[in-house]
């Protein structure tokens, strides 16, 4: 049903069965069904019928990870909102927040079934019991087991759901300050269904690339997909009126910095939680995440220092973000030195990618492609040069050789670019025809906050 | 010399700036203010429509030599209007300016404008 | 001593005893007393004298939950402070922050004893060993066991303490921008002692409604109590000067949105932590919380979209809050579909309740009653229609039938309304007579920040 | 290798070995090496060669603690940045943020080796396998065991690394608004290497004060060291231009309050995480932290209320901070009453220390010495009067008598003052000579944001 | 026509606005400023009393026809005073206004005010 | 009486304030504005140099008796200059002031300044 990680060996499963009673106590006792209790009392007898005992420690970390990843949504909202003009600050935050509501509901209704249900042709998932999450309690006593570790199924579902929320929210940065809210809502809903769910199923679910990609937490599934979607959208929708002649200064960089802080912290849940353990790989993922973020931030700051003799705070967080994106697929797969390099190299490339954008003149307003897309691609491929062990020892892949793995990585990247690129374009086109995507000139001048939401972000600016 | 003060809708600031530049009036001072005229502005607060007593406006100050007064005023009027003119489009006040001094050079009068 | 949840069956307790040694290792080894170690070495012998072994996983999640619930206090501070006028932004934040100090101290001095001590007539608790937390270490080796799961007693105490902190802070929104700080401090202290502690003891401690209410995390104990207190206070203290003629615009909605983000995340600790496990019910509670929040936010936004053709960010967070409040008592008790409905229905009702307030003309400034009170009542009763199982299978109640449970729910709601309504009124009256509760006209005009705190929230507004 | 805590008794270790198989299942199964699995299947046989099984619960809490302590860095950034003038808001935030990058990288390259490597003369650590963290995986299968509890080594490293990040960032408050960014970067790097690493090694690593100090989470290693460094720097670098004649008002106290909220929450990870467990001491540390913070905040507010008839929000957070600093060394060592006193007493002393600074006229701009230094010293010594048990029962010390422990405490304080005082002065002198430390008069007038970073914090202030 | 500028205490803004409306002067422009006169304003900073060099004020601009000058000034004086007058109550400046133009319509002079 | 308006660089506000106080001109009103003159101001945005259209400035208003006009203007010029004068140092505008009223006392004219 799920192949984000390969199954543990049969031996391990056997050990699990043998030991189940010994740890049954740790289980959710208040709701434990009778057989489990009997088994526990019988002390050493195998209890094949009972659902496996829940590991409270892993569950605790997964619950925490859910909180951390959800915290990234307000983090992203702050990050983006600080960079736009005053008149669009609320509208920009709403782009992130509304994803929590729309995708939050979509995920429980059909999203989880489409991502992690049984595969239909290796392309999309389906499982009636997952629709509306109606059959979760009934299945395995509500538990979910992966690689021998059992957690409540709801916890796994919610963790995965947070990724579905944040992915479309990332795209919003590419067409900041110029789209209709209603069209945006329709766009992220359809994009999730048509782009995110298939990609997620293909690579993390039981799809045709399952157990092939090294993509711990979504370099390919999330950042490349969102980055490409952003690029396509920026090109298709066109630049903000006045861009680039009129300077569009960030309205509140302190907000962007706070958002970046929340993103850094939240990313620990993002990457480490994706190991679905509370063990060695989890610790490793956290350490590599930290290293790449630090190295990325430092690289950008040093680069700016060299080129401009000034180091900006926006540069700091841009580099941090590039490092975090690049390490996302690789956090459990590379050495500490590799993490350092995956902070450094993608950041330098992103730096110049952003300068390139300025030359090419398209308006990827908050550099969704320049950071997420570019660092995502560099990370997904670059990780191959810093593996800490043979691919087959890494949790999420079954490749035999380095070369074989490299092919898988390239396949993943190509797939994500192709699927996201083509379908995003189709979606934009259709929505644009049906309901219009861009704001009218007047609304764009007046700002999204007033025109779309009937509000002003900073009442404090006016004497009241 | 004249000091021209215009209170306009903030969403027209860019257009007015541009129009003035096209008319070769590039020096300008802008600040935020709030004002009350005839216009009503509707915000929403928890499902209720509220109309703030004071509405955000942009305040432009331009010092010009007398010969430029007309073109400045006309340019602002044209660029600041919404369509054929909407409530809240703003006001222009013209005052006499006795002296104008450029701090950098100490120059005075017409050439310091 | 505690009946927030019914005890596990004797069988379970037996299993626990039998298995204690096997998991003793997981225990707080550095402080483990000798007998526990001996027992562990003796391997399978029962060790009745030793305190039960601590479950590190559950402890980890409870520790995390404490952090999350404490995070809700700054979250609430931001949420409320963003909605008031510039001149009251700090005073409003202080209403939340000071609760951390006053109730923080009160809780360890007498609060915990009054809530979770042995019952006196089913109405209030008492336990000398709990005063000043002086006897915690001595009791059961500092451990606390519920439904077969053992955690450090201090962890349980601190978790419960966070609820005591946030409850009175909620009320402050009802009389925002117009009360004296000193009087407010006295008010929340007395309110906690006279309203919160008894209610908490009656429903969650060993009081007369113990094991009767389905109120996982405080729909009745917290939100209804605070909502009613807010309503009474708003009516008793009167409206802000100038209300409603003068518009009082939010000074900083970005702050309110950030606060809402922290509240959403914190609520996971609030609801899931209240299961005092790291297991099935915990995961379920988190999932239902997420679903109701998303559904609530979406409902308000859609409603506004239909009625006003604009969707506000304040609407988003109001709906989110309504959903979160409504699911609070129910998060471990309803189906996913039920959670969706408990997001949708209370939000719609709250929407109209807020409009009603505008018609009636009283000044519940930040809609404490309109959101917390109304959604709390709707949730506490509404959950009965979406139960995932028979009441008796739900951790916190012992009811036999659906009807019996419904009676309990109504009793709880009625009790909370009555106790909070009457005692709040008495308190307001007494404090008002003794020291005055409202600000003077001058102080109210000047703003709380300057008049009461000698500060200005946003120095940035002035050139310095 | 590490003596932050004394080792458990041999009995405990034996118990651990005997029970290892029984809990091997809980281990990081996906990466489990074969012997562990065999051992698990063999059920009760000792497995000396296998690395000890990881406790998923403790690991979960340590992971969470890492997140919480990292969250303190943005928290500190907000706290400090809210207090400076508008033109320095970004530069001040950068002082905290850049520490995440610089020390983040330094820590993995050499920092961990210098702090927790094998001791060289009791003064500094070294371990080639720790350089660049290259040998972590190879050692004990990547695990780390302390007092019988095993967690992934990377988790321990990252947790300790967060302390290294925040310590130099604290100092920045003493010379806020007036130093060059490049010089500051060099300063914190060298200060970490020359002051922090030795102190950390001497007291927490295998240095000459190991197993002697009661310093749970860094009262001596962190707060006294940073406080003294701040004092020396403030004296050496001189006051801001215009100080104290010109008032320098906080630009955004709401930001400071939010920062304080994050610090309070983060401190739970700071103190409780430092127990490297998820057990009794962890719960105790969290409870004492909460109590001292609440008592500290309350004390300052009451004091201000008495003296000025106004209670400021900055006073609230200052008292909170004093309480948190004072309890930091003591959180697992004192009684609840002691925690109350360690909130109250240091806060009162800090209050008057800050007034004293105003009299003496030096410009410790954000009171790094007045709060961190003073409360750190008072806490480190004051804790001796509120111990909950004999020193030898406290995890981090091996002292035999109360008097002996008192001597150790004084030694620790004296050491920290001496090392930090002298070396900070040397560093300031050298950096000042080589590259200049203070900003030019023009840059200081223009503000760090524009002069150093080419940015403006609040674009919203200007119409764009 | 006159342009009347009043610098008042922010806490009196509502009262002044209301009084002006009662006197049928509804058009107004308001902005934030800070000022220094004789008033001292005490803030607290970590237990120390500090007195900012510049104190927040509200700045009101009203363009009126000459006949309205007196009532406007008198109204402001009455409404902006704290009790019988306190330090910091503010100042009123009156200037000549040469032209006044309504942007929406292009009207000038008295009727455009 | 004269109303003197000076638009200066914000980093010179303290110096100007101090110089004015030394010249015994203590009453002052200051506000934030943004302006465009000849000066260019370079900010960085993700490695790119950007030059905002409008640059933050401080706007000073001082009402003085006629005899004080010269000293005020000269003081500002001296204190607001960067070195020997740099682009962006600012402008001073002087206008006639018809009336000046102290709200607290109702005093008018010279002594109310
Ligand atoms: N007489 C006046 N005095 C001061 N400000 C004015 C005056 N008339 C208009 N304004 C300013 O101009 C803004 C726009 O005015 P507007 O509503 O277009 O004027 P009108 O109602 O005359 O058409 C107002 O919000 C106010 O700030
Ligand atoms: N001569 C002046 N020029 C500019 N602004 C002034 C002048 N006099 C007063 N103000 C402004 O009016 C505000 C209030 O002045 P106030 O303290 O009441 O005046 P006074 O000291 O004359 O009684 C000051 O803060 C300042 O902003
Ligand atoms: N003619 C003018 N009208 C309005 N404001 C002006 C004028 N000239 C200059 N300013 C203001 O003064 C500021 C500084 O001008 P500056 O660049 O020093 O002038 P110049 O280009 O004449 O040397 C400008 O940013 C603008 O705010």
């Amino acid at each position: 049903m799920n192949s984000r990680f390969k199954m543990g060996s049969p031996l391990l499963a056997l050990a699990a069965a043998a030991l189940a009673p010994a740890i049954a106590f740790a289980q959710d006792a208040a709701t434990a069904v009778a057989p489990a209790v009997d088994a526990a009392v019988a002390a050493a007898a195998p209890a094949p019928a009972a659902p496996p005992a829940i590991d409270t420690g892993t569950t605790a970390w997964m619950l925490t990870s859910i909180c951390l990843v959800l915290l990234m949504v307000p983090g992203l909202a702050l990050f983006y909102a600080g960079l736009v003009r005053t008149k669009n600050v609320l509208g920009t935050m709403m782009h992130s927040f509304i994803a929590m509501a729309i995708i939050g509901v979509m995920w429980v209704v059909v999203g989880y079934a489409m991502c992690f249900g049984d595969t239909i042709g290796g392309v999309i998932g389906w499982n009636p019991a997952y629709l509306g999450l109606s059959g979760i309690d009934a299945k395995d006593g509500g538990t979910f087991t992966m690689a021998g570790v059992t957690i409540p199924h709801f916890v796994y579902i919610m963790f995965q759901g947070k990724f579905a929320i944040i992915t479309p929210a990332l795209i919003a940065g590419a067409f900041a300050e110029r789209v209709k809210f209603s069209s945006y809502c329709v766009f992220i809903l359809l994009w999730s269904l048509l782009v995110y769910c298939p990609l997620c199923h293909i690579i993390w679910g039981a799809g045709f690339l399952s157990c092939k990609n090294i993509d711990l937490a979504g370099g390919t599934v999330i950042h490349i997909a969102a980055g490409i979607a952003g690029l396509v959208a920026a090109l298709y929708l066109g630049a903000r009126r006045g861009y680039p002649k009129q300077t569009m200064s960030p309205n509140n960089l302190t907000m962007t910095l706070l958002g970046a802080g929340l993103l850094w912290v939240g990313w620990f849940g993002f990457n480490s939680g994706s190991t679905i353990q509370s063990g060695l790989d989890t610790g490793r993922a956290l350490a590599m995440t930290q290293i790449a973020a630090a190295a990325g931030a430092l690289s950008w700051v040093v680069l700016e220092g060299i080129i401009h003799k000034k180091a900006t705070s926006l540069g700091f967080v841009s580099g941090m973000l590039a490092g975090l994106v690049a390490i996302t697929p690789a956090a459990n797969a590379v050495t500490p030195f590799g993490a350092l390099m995956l902070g450094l190299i993608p950041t330098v490339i992103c730096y110049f990618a952003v300068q390139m954008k300025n030359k090419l003149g398209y308006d990827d307003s908050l550099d969704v492609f320049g950071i997420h897309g570019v660092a995502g691609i560099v990370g997904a491929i670059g990780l191959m040069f810093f593996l800490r062990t043979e691919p087959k020892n890494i949790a999420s892949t079954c490749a035999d050789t380095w070369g074989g793995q490299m092919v898988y990585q390239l396949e993943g990247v190509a797939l994500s670019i192709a699927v996201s690129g083509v379908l995003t374009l189709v979606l934009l086109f259709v929505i644009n025809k049906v309901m219009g995507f861009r704001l009218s000139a007047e609304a764009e001048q007046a700002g999204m906050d007033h025109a779309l939401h009937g509000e002003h972000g900073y009442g404090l600016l006016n004497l009241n | 010399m004249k000091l021209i003060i215009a209170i306009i809708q903030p969403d027209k600031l860019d257009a007015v700036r541009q129009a003035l530049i096209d008319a070769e009036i590039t020096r300008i001072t802008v600040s935020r203010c709030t004002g009350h005229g005839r216009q009503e502005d509707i915000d929403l607060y928890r499902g209720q429509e509220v109309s703030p007593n004071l509405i955000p406006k942009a305040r432009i100050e331009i010092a010009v030599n007398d010969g430029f007064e007309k073109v400045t005023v006309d340019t602002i009027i044209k660029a600041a209007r919404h369509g054929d003119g909407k409530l809240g489009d703003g006001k222009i006040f013209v005052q006499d300016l006795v002296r104008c001094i450029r701090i950098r050079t100490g120059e005075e009068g017409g050439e310091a404008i």
Side-chain angles (χ1 to χ4, degrees), chain B residues 2-4 25-30 60-64 97 100 102-105 107 111-113:
Chain B
K2 292 279 182 293
L3 185 67
I4 301 174
I25 298 150
T26 59
R27 299 202 166 89
I28 189 172
T29 300
V30 181
I60 302 179
E61 271 175 313
I62 311 171
V64 292
L97 185 58
C100 171
R102 170 170 292 132
I103 291 176
R104 171 164 53 96
T105 56
E107 285 162 282
E111 60 243 58
I113 283 273

Side-chain angles (χ1 to χ4, degrees), chain A residues 21-32 37-38 40-41 43 54-61 63-64 66-68 70-71 74 78 89-90 93-94 97-102 104-105 108-109 132-134 137 141-143 151-155 158 162 165 181 252 255 258 262 450-462 464:
Chain A
I23 48 171
F25 170 73
Q27 173 185 6
D28 183 1
T31 60
V37 176
D38 291 346
V41 173
I54 284 169
D55 182 277
T56 58
T58 304
T59 302
W61 172 241
L63 290 164
T64 306
I66 294 173
C67 297
L68 290 169
L70 187 64
L71 194 59
L78 294 173
V89 66
L90 290 181
M93 293 188 88
M94 280 295 270
F97 273 75
I98 199 70
M100 295 203 283
I102 293 177
V105 169
V108 304
V109 175
L133 307 186
S134 58
D137 276 333
T143 69
I151 58 174
H153 200 162
F154 276 125
V155 169
M158 285 296 124
K162 297 291 171 281
I165 287 173
F181 184 63
N252 194 345
M255 193 187 248
L258 170 57
L262 295 182
H450 187 59
L452 300 177
H453 304 291
E455 298 181 301
H456 292 91
Y458 304 105
L460 63 101
L461 290 176
N462 308 315
N464 47 20

Side-chain angles (χ1 to χ4, degrees), chain B residues 7-8 32-36 38 53 59 69 73 77 81 84-87 89-96:
Chain B
I7 316 285
I8 62 167
R32 287 185 189 281
C33 63
T34 55
H36 184 90
R38 281 259 303 285
N53 308 332
R59 181 179 187 279
E69 178 188 341
V73 169
I77 291 181
R81 251 189 216 158
D84 294 339
K86 256 179 45 183
L87 286 180
D89 276 347
K91 283 277 166 72
I92 302 175
F93 304 122
V94 181
Q95 290 180 292
D96 277 324

Side-chain angles (χ1 to χ4, degrees), chain A residues 381-398:
Chain A
I381 297 167
L383 66 86
M384 288 305 297
F385 303 96
F386 305 106
L387 292 180
R388 64 178 172 87
T389 177
E390 288 174 59
K392 67 164 180 275
N393 295 331
I394 292 166
S396 57
T397 182
C398 313

Side-chain angles (χ1 to χ4, degrees), chain A residues 342-365:
Chain A
L342 287 182
L344 172 65
I345 299 167
T347 298
V348 174
I349 299 178
C350 286
Y351 183 94
F352 290 106
V354 171
Q355 310 316 311
M356 188 81 78
K357 175 197 78 169
N358 294 329
K359 294 237 168 66
L360 296 176
Y362 67 92
D363 183 15
D364 175 5
S365 314

